Amino acid sequence: MEMRKVLGDTLAEMMRRDDRIVVLDADLSKANGTYPLRKEFPDRMFNVGVAEANMTGIAAGLATYGLVPFMTTFAPFATRRVCDQVELSIAYANLPVKIIGSDPGIAAELNGGTHMSVNDIGIMRGMPGMVVYEPADNVQFRQALPQIARHNGPVYIRMFRKTTPNIFTDPGYAFDLFKADILRAGDDVALFCSGVEVSKALDATVILANEGIAAEVVNVHTIKPLDSETILATLRKTGCAVTCENHSIYNGLGSAVMELAAEHFPVPIQRIGFQDRFGEVGKLDYLFTALQLTAEDIVTKAKLALAAKAGGVAVSSTAL
């Protein structure tokens, strides 16, 4: 099932239970999976047209009257296009607006570099009080949305619109918005990952295991605030790490983990992500390779981190 279908279905369930929840879109409801809500909730589903800044102001206004708005559009339009409106109208007032930015990074595919948000995490994590969350799969996303709705403050959600690999197959899985998930245990190197890079990190563990290297995989679904306790515990165990994200290596998950490590437990860390460049037109398989986001790329960076650990280097990360 596509993640946008999970969004629409879960919002419908939540709206039936809680009449405070409203949904706004900027003429992309069919693309983002919220279009069916119009029929069941005609008075709580608003299309503002191609006017994202206006949508942000409307969402903020609705929140001041006690409603819980979810606003949806493509990731670059939900962040860089409306940065000032989000910061002043939503974050500054600490309003419970939930901002959904779809098709982050390479997910934009054929829409190309102009639509590939390589800096949306950086924009949003810099705003005081803003929670930044990126779902790993449909199971997690379905559990996350009610918790996000209950959170008394603004939340930015990076949503991959289409089908993603199944990560959480255990029926007993219980999501916690502020707790990272340890997906694989290992003592040699840590792989901290988010979004579409989670499956790539898991694939990388298989390759590494065949070479006698045990990697610990941690899904850092909430990039702000970080689950510092889990991340530091893993760093103390492994002594080196790779961060894996569908975002620039600057100001995203990699930067957040390195800041934490530098302050509390410096170790060698390598980063997988956009290497200080814009995206390009292409399908996912091509883009994973072109942007060096594959499992094999993660393996290469893991070996660099391990070599730095063996050589006693404190922190090592370069935009290769």
Side-chain angles (χ1 to χ4, degrees):
M1 181 186 295
E2 294 186 338
M3 195 168 280
R4 57 183 165 185
K5 180 72 162 55
V6 174
L7 174 66
D9 290 350
T10 307
L11 282 176
E13 294 168 7
M14 292 163 56
M15 292 170 81
R16 292 177 196 124
R17 295 193 301 266
D18 187 346
D19 60 11
R20 296 175 305 152
I21 297 175
V22 296
V23 177
L24 302 92
D25 75 77
D27 216 26
L28 286 171
S29 61
K30 290 184 178 178
N32 285 330
T34 56
Y35 188 80
L37 299 174
R38 296 181 180 203
K39 184 175 181 180
E40 186 173 353
F41 308 100
D43 298 327
R44 294 160 60 195
M45 173 72 188
F46 307 99
N47 177 19
V48 304
V50 185
E52 293 86 359
N54 188 38
M55 176 172 66
T56 303
I58 293 170
L62 292 169
T64 63
Y65 280 87
L67 299 175
V68 180
F70 280 76
M71 51 177 272
T72 68
T73 186
F74 289 155
F77 307 154
T79 54
R80 68 172 188 247
R81 179 171 291 181
V82 296
C83 179
D84 190 52
Q85 287 80 10
V86 170
E87 177 151 322
L88 295 182
S89 297
I90 294 174
Y92 190 77
N94 193 39
L95 293 172
V97 177
K98 320 307 176 184
I99 304 164
I100 300 172
S102 67
D103 276 6
I106 62 171
E109 290 192 281
L110 299 182
N111 281 328
T114 58
H115 284 55
M116 287 183 186
S117 49
V118 303
N119 55 8
D120 55 313
I121 293 175
I123 291 169
M124 299 306 247
R125 72 183 281 258
M127 295 187 189
M130 181 70 70
V131 171
V132 179
Y133 164 71
E134 182 168 25
D137 74 354
N138 291 341
V139 170
Q140 187 187 83
F141 193 35
R142 191 181 298 278
Q143 291 192 33
L145 285 168
Q147 292 186 33
I148 288 169
R150 291 193 296 270
H151 177 70
N152 188 28
V155 179
Y156 173 59
I157 303 166
R158 297 184 99 216
M159 184 188 77
F160 187 89
R161 281 192 305 151
K162 299 178 183 177
T163 303
T164 61
N166 295 321
I167 305 297
F168 297 97
T169 56
D170 181 354
Y173 172 68
F175 174 78
D176 185 333
L177 182 59
F178 300 110
K179 190 72 174 174
D181 299 301
I182 299 178
L183 304 181
R184 296 285 187 279
D187 296 326
D188 297 326
V189 61
L191 306 180
F192 297 110
C193 49
S194 64
V196 296
E197 282 299 289
V198 176
S199 65
K200 300 301 181 185
L202 290 170
D203 291 342
T205 64
V206 177
I207 302 172
L208 290 167
N210 288 335
E211 300 185 33
I213 300 168
E216 179 146 306
V217 179
V218 182
N219 171 215
V220 187
H221 50 71
T222 297
I223 299 153
K224 185 192 173 191
L226 280 178
D227 177 6
S228 301
E229 181 180 357
T230 297
I231 292 171
L232 287 172
T234 294
L235 287 176
R236 290 189 174 101
K237 180 165 70 167
T238 62
C240 65
V242 181
T243 61
C244 316
E245 61 188 314
N246 173 32
H247 182 272
S248 172
I249 60 169
Y250 301 113
N251 300 322
L253 173 63
S255 293
V257 170
M258 292 186 76
E259 289 160 10
L260 179 69
E263 189 169 348
H264 297 284
F265 192 72
V267 298
I269 298 175
Q270 293 287 327
R271 291 173 291 177
I272 289 286
F274 282 65
Q275 304 287 331
D276 197 27
R277 58 161 293 182
F278 291 102
E280 59 184 274
V281 172
K283 299 293 287 183
L284 275 181
D285 287 346
Y286 166 78
L287 292 167
F288 273 116
T289 300
L291 276 298
Q292 298 177 299
L293 304 175
T294 68
E296 291 75 14
D297 294 314
I298 295 172
V299 168
T300 298
K301 290 296 182 87
K303 290 178 179 178
L304 288 174
L306 284 162
K309 179 173 70 168
V313 179
V315 176
S316 175
S317 183
T318 55
L320 297 176

